[in-house]
Amino acid sequence: MSELNGSGPSTIFGVAVETAPPAELLRRILGYAERGEHRRVAYVNAHVLNQSTSDAALRAALQRADLVYCDGYGVRLAAKTIGLPVPHRMTGADWIWGVAALCEATGRSIYLLGSNPGASREAAACLKRWYPRLDVRGTHHGYFEIGTPHSERVIEHIAEHNPDVLLVGMGTPLQELWVDHYFERLDARVVWTVGALFDYVSGRVPRAPHWIADHGLEWIFRLAIEPRRMWRRYLLGNPVFLWRVWAERIRLSGVPPAEPEPVAIAADGGRPAHAQAGSRVRGAHDGALLHAESPARRGERASRRRPAA
């Protein structure tokens, strides 16, 4: 896919998505922490943008973020189709190793909040195996709601440990709404929503093979391993997203599209849907992702040494 060059963000369905390369975005994000700035960082993919079109609170939360990046080929396709600068794709399961390396090298601390009980702790242990000097201040699961005493205890725990970077992985829209509701009270420099990142780092959820992820087809892999949870998102959500993209292209060209039947895209039911950060890409623009190599998969780990930080 060819890209239109542009240094500013591309506004897609009301959300400004950064178009800078991943390495530059990561340096900018960690620069917030180094300067002691209180900032929030978020991502978008087709599923998040689908939800934001019908959820005004989610859309407002994304608009209030200081930096929003692309984590999905659907967003890249949308930008190209609409005629906007195409953002780079920056997937969490790859950038986390660069962030861990930089935090270890500069003495920055992190806190992992979210996912199923035990997953954030397992993810922290995995990061520590590769980066022993990484300062992990704390972990906590993501099974609590806004406005509950449990949320208050979590906020107190974060304040006690005062991390530089707080990673929040509770699934969309809960993670964005929780951060938006409590942002001013969160005692961390950078508050960063990360979706299902801890599930992937801990190894609880497998990642798609490279040949699938590199061609933007990881959604098929995720649908195959979690059909009951993902069928609505992909089999209903993807066509709706494509229609919205095409309608936006027509709108901007000045020709009104035909009115469709209203379609509601429901979020994944039940507990927080740890939605994101799954697909891996090794494109030309990702090769310089802070020069930090992600660990080998389980079958390869025994024969590999820890990469240099």
Side-chain angles (χ1 to χ4, degrees):
M1 180 184 296
S2 62
E3 297 184 10
L4 300 172
N5 293 324
S7 56
S10 291
T11 300
I12 305 173
F13 302 138
V15 180
V17 183
E18 295 292 337
T19 60
E24 178 181 329
L25 293 180
L26 293 185
R27 284 192 292 266
R28 191 188 309 176
I29 292 167
L30 293 180
Y32 297 153
E34 292 173 4
R35 294 187 296 272
E37 300 175 10
H38 192 40
R39 303 282 189 138
R40 64 179 103 176
V41 177
Y43 67 87
V44 289
N45 52 30
H47 177 62
V48 174
L49 288 177
N50 259 346
Q51 291 198 67
S52 72
T53 60
S54 58
D55 188 333
L58 172 60
R59 184 168 60 254
L62 291 170
Q63 291 169 341
R64 281 190 282 269
D66 295 287
L67 187 151
V68 178
Y69 61 91
C70 163
D71 181 17
Y73 278 103
V75 178
R76 288 169 53 80
L77 175 64
K80 181 176 176 61
T81 301
I82 295 170
L84 299 171
V86 179
H88 296 277
R89 180 168 174 269
M90 192 171 86
T91 182
D94 284 328
W95 61 245
I96 184 60
W97 308 104
V99 168
L102 279 180
C103 286
E104 181 188 59
T106 59
R108 300 295 164 193
S109 59
I110 65 173
Y111 187 112
L112 280 58
L113 171 64
S115 195
N116 296 314
S120 58
R121 183 174 62 253
E122 293 169 13
C126 184
L127 293 173
K128 291 283 286 184
R129 283 196 298 270
W130 288 87
Y131 302 98
R133 297 186 303 278
L134 177 65
D135 185 4
V136 180
R137 292 287 176 88
T139 66
H140 195 284
H141 66 76
Y143 277 62
F144 50 87
E145 304 292 339
I146 295 172
T148 62
H150 199 149
S151 279
E152 296 297 327
R153 291 195 298 271
V154 169
I155 292 171
E156 292 174 2
H157 194 254
I158 293 169
E160 290 171 5
H161 294 83
N162 190 27
D164 291 304
V165 179
L166 171 63
L167 302 177
V168 182
M170 297 189 287
T172 298
L174 177 58
Q175 61 187 7
E176 290 87 0
L177 298 181
W178 190 87
V179 168
D180 193 54
H181 186 82
Y182 292 111
F183 179 67
E184 297 302 330
R185 297 178 56 195
L186 293 174
D187 196 358
R189 258 58 68 197
V190 174
V191 182
W192 189 342
T193 52
V194 298
L197 176 61
F198 308 147
D199 294 330
Y200 289 102
V201 173
S202 66
R204 290 190 173 197
V205 176
R207 299 188 62 195
H210 288 258
W211 65 270
I212 292 179
D214 289 351
H215 292 86
L217 300 175
E218 185 162 8
W219 68 272
I220 298 176
F221 181 83
R222 296 194 68 190
L223 180 62
I225 63 174
E226 296 183 277
R228 295 183 65 180
R229 189 166 76 87
M230 294 297 181
W231 73 270
R232 185 183 301 273
R233 176 184 306 185
Y234 294 128
L235 298 185
L236 298 184
N238 284 0
V240 169
F241 182 75
L242 292 175
W243 182 89
R244 284 172 171 155
V245 169
W246 190 251
E248 182 70 1
R249 175 189 171 102
I250 294 175
R251 185 186 71 81
L252 293 177
S253 69
V255 179
E259 287 294 329
E261 293 294 328
V263 179
I265 300 300
D268 294 336
R271 297 302 306 176
H274 306 294
Q276 185 271 344
S279 44
R280 168 171 295 186
V281 62
R282 295 290 184 183
H285 51 70
D286 290 321
L289 198 60
L290 301 185
H291 310 290
E293 182 182 356
S294 60
R297 308 207 179 198
R298 287 187 175 181
E300 302 169 340
R301 287 179 182 170
S303 61
R304 289 185 51 180
R305 294 185 177 180
R306 172 180 173 271

